[in-house]
Amino acid sequence: MTETVRVRFAPSPTGALHIGGAHTALFNWLWARRMGGSFILRIEDSDRQRSTEAFEKTILSGMRWLGLDWDEGPDCGGDYGPYRQSERLDIYHRYAEELVGRGLAYREGEAIIQHVPQDRTLLFEDIVYGSIEIKSETIKDTVLIKSDGTPTYNFAVVVDDHTMAINYVIRGEDHIINTPKQILVYDALGWEIPHFAHLPMILGEDKKKLSKRQGATSVYDYRDLGYIPEGIFNFLALLGWSAGEDKEIFDRDEATALFDLSKVIKRKAVFDMKKLGFVNQEHLKRLDPARRLELISPFWKDLGLGKGNFDEAYLLRALDLLEGRGQTLKEMAEYSDFFLSFGPVKARYDGKDLSDETRAVLAPFFEALLELETWNHDAMADLARHWAGEQGMKLKDLAMPLRWALTGRKVSPGIFEVAAHLGREEVRHRLRHYGLAG
RNA sequence: GGUCCCAUCGUCUAGUGGCCUAGGACACAGCCCUUUCAAGGCUGCGGCACGGGUUCGAAUCCCGUUGGGACCGCCA
């Protein structure tokens, strides 16, 4: 008979959900889902000065955005609540008093401090790091309850984890050094010690602990940059763990099926934006078209582009023509702007490179193009090839000017596909603007 | 400084004594495809930090050195 896995993610609401926290939450979630256990969300707001309700809200919504749903938490309740430390003060006091009563802790002013034995070797088995031992001499007596009546982190986590029946403590490697202190509390209270699994830290490109000063650090920063939850989830899962069999691109369900805590490695991982971009792009390519359209809309809006009178089929097809171009929604929105409006095209291309001679050479071709009986890619490509052949020109001599006039860029999806999709009248309008058609 | 942890291509990783003249992915370079850029395909560049052991045999085990990181709060 095996115990039901209960894990928790316990952020303190003193900032948005950052990448490191998301990584920890993700691995907890993966383990809970893999083992058919419960994922608990607990808010560690015992630092009343820095904790805010707003931050708590953004952390919760950040997790929802990433698809990390929890079974028990401050918003949905559960059998082990309350789920905010600020609402559990009496519990901490009860246990702290108990230790004082048994002579294992003492008062100093309003504070309660635990006696730390000086002759013990504290040993624990970590699922990721193996056995770790620290001599108790190196630990000073530790404060359990602060003078203001709130519990310290090391005391509160233990009381919470035990009273919430957490049996797997999965958290960042920076907590390894706290673990012995916590074990002392477990021992003093006579509680069973949970399984510990510390996760390698995520480093910035400078190989230092990821911090605010290194640009985007909250998951919402990445969302606003155009990364999608599937991409971030996949990329984060790759840090410290691998699915095996050279499988690097996967969705939530695949990751859940393959995840194993004992396969987590110890080495710290650098957060590499380039790879994030690649992984995100792979998920962008796999996205359901309708959802992709829904997700990209805000980014068009940011560019000042409305969906205007375009129907859904037109927009869907426009994104389809991008064929994997763009690593983020933001890039996709930029790359497709000319489908929504001629405005940005005019803004970046003035046609001044077109001499009268060039216009004279190109105009007849564009006239013929606009007269085409069937308005589609093949007909345009055929015409262009024949025309180029007869005039001793290269296909690109015709394609590039058209590309500039239609998109305002030197790169774009296949230009005849673009022209076909834009429609004959819109193409005529743009060519006329640049004096390339009558 | 003290305590603890880590160490495979630039980066993410596979690898748990022989299958490793170390595999994959990102990035980079080149080629193919081609109306451009992507995408896709192919090729290339590039690594077991160093030194000692143990062993018939070490990327894999042990020791040391070096390098990196984390923590040393009545913050979490």
Side-chain angles (χ1 to χ4, degrees):
Chain A
M1 138 150 198
T2 49
E3 57 183 350
T4 303
V5 166
R6 285 179 61 83
V7 299
R8 48 57 168 188
F9 174 54
S12 59
T14 54
L17 178 63
H18 60 264
I19 290 298
H23 181 253
T24 300
L26 175 51
F27 278 56
N28 271 285
W29 182 89
L30 241 18
W31 187 236
R33 296 296 170 252
R34 174 64 226 276
M35 301 302 285
S38 297
F39 179 44
I40 289 96
L41 181 59
R42 179 173 77 226
I43 299 298
E44 307 215 325
D45 59 349
S46 64
D47 180 350
R48 303 306 296 157
Q49 301 301 317
R50 299 195 297 144
S51 298
T52 72
E53 231 175 89
F55 282 138
E56 178 182 318
K57 277 206 173 68
T58 131
I59 287 172
L60 300 214
S61 64
M63 288 178 63
R64 280 191 205 100
W65 182 77
L66 263 182
L68 306 179
D69 57 315
W70 52 95
D71 307 297
E72 297 169 28
D75 59 327
C76 56
D79 295 338
Y80 298 81
Y83 293 90
R84 278 187 202 91
Q85 289 189 332
S86 58
E87 295 163 14
R88 301 169 63 80
L89 261 25
D90 54 318
I91 304 177
Y92 309 124
H93 276 94
R94 194 188 324 145
Y95 289 113
E97 295 293 350
E98 180 187 327
L99 290 178
V100 172
R102 289 168 47 205
L104 295 170
Y106 55 94
R107 282 175 207 285
E108 195 172 284
E110 299 294 305
I112 293 178
I113 301 173
Q114 182 183 15
H115 279 120
V116 170
Q118 293 301 296
D119 52 354
R120 294 184 44 197
T121 294
L122 302 167
L123 178 90
F124 73 96
E125 208 48 47
D126 189 281
I127 294 171
V128 175
Y129 287 86
S131 61
I132 291 174
E133 63 167 76
I134 292 181
K135 294 210 174 18
S136 62
E137 283 75 25
T138 65
I139 303 173
K140 292 179 284 193
D141 281 6
T142 51
V143 175
L144 267 22
I145 301 287
K146 297 180 256 178
S147 303
D148 66 359
T150 60
T152 55
Y153 166 75
N154 282 125
F155 183 56
V157 245
V158 173
V159 172
D160 288 337
D161 285 341
H162 177 264
T163 55
M164 290 182 176
I166 301 301
N167 47 200
Y168 281 83
V169 171
I170 303 171
R171 79 242 287 200
E173 177 228 31
D174 47 340
H175 285 291
I176 281 186
I177 208 138
N178 284 323
T179 309
K181 289 182 196 170
Q182 295 169 15
I183 285 176
L184 248 18
V185 177
Y186 278 104
D187 284 352
L189 259 4
W191 291 342
E192 190 184 344
I193 293 167
H195 297 284
F196 288 106
H198 287 90
L199 271 17
M201 310 216 60
I202 297 177
L203 276 23
E205 315 247 344
D206 61 355
K207 302 207 174 176
K208 290 255 166 57
K209 187 175 176 179
L210 219 45
S211 76
K212 325 260 184 290
R213 55 189 52 183
Q214 302 174 53
T217 53
S218 98
V219 308
Y220 278 157
D221 289 338
Y222 288 91
R223 177 198 59 185
D224 295 344
L225 252 20
Y227 294 93
I228 57 175
E230 291 88 334
I232 304 258
F233 181 104
N234 189 159
F235 177 69
L236 249 23
L238 251 20
L239 265 26
W241 175 72
S242 69
E245 291 174 12
D246 296 334
K247 188 170 183 57
E248 295 216 290
I249 301 301
F250 43 73
D251 61 26
R252 264 183 265 282
D253 291 342
E254 294 172 305
T256 301
L258 263 17
F259 188 73
D260 188 344
L261 254 193
S262 66
K263 290 280 295 282
V264 173
I265 63 168
K266 309 173 195 175
R267 188 147 128 270
K268 290 174 250 293
V270 173
F271 188 90
D272 180 15
M273 290 289 286
K274 294 238 185 73
K275 183 136 187 184
L276 201 217
F278 166 79
V279 173
N280 197 63
Q281 181 172 31
E282 290 302 307
H283 284 279
L284 244 21
K285 287 194 269 191
R286 288 166 173 70
L287 221 45
D288 167 74
R291 180 143 177 274
R292 178 164 46 198
L293 175 57
E294 183 186 326
L295 291 173
I296 206 166
S297 297
F299 290 89
W300 274 331
K301 205 172 168 193
D302 285 347
L303 294 173
L305 301 170
K307 290 195 259 186
N309 304 318
F310 303 112
D311 60 26
E312 195 177 83
Y314 174 88
L315 296 169
L316 248 19
R317 173 68 179 150
L319 292 183
D320 221 42
L321 287 174
L322 252 31
E323 289 186 302
R325 266 166 272 244
Q327 296 198 318
T328 61
L329 291 166
K330 192 175 176 179
E331 285 181 353
M332 288 182 74
E334 286 165 10
Y335 296 170
S336 60
D337 62 357
F338 56 85
F339 279 122
L340 301 206
S341 166
F342 188 31
V345 178
K346 286 186 284 193
R348 61 182 164 242
Y349 178 58
D350 58 15
K352 286 212 176 93
D353 60 315
L354 262 21
S355 65
D356 289 345
E357 295 76 51
T358 308
R359 285 194 171 87
V361 172
L362 293 174
F365 165 67
F366 289 133
E367 295 291 355
L369 186 84
L370 290 168
E371 294 310 311
L372 233 32
E373 207 161 308
T374 30
W375 187 255
N376 65 25
H377 167 274
D378 289 352
M380 285 187 252
D382 283 348
L383 174 71
R385 287 210 173 80
H386 285 129
W387 192 281
E390 283 167 16
Q391 303 294 315
M393 299 170 81
K394 294 213 162 116
L395 184 54
K396 70 173 172 185
D397 295 332
L398 265 18
M400 286 312 288
L402 181 60
R403 172 168 288 114
W404 277 107
L406 262 26
T407 72
R409 289 197 181 93
K410 69 177 177 199
V411 303
S412 80
I415 199 57
F416 300 123
E417 295 284 11
V418 169
H421 191 54
L422 243 19
R424 197 192 300 264
E425 289 318 306
E426 182 60 25
V427 170
R428 187 192 308 281
H429 173 64
R430 296 188 185 189
L431 286 172
R432 273 183 180 156
H433 175 82
Y434 291 110
L436 289 167

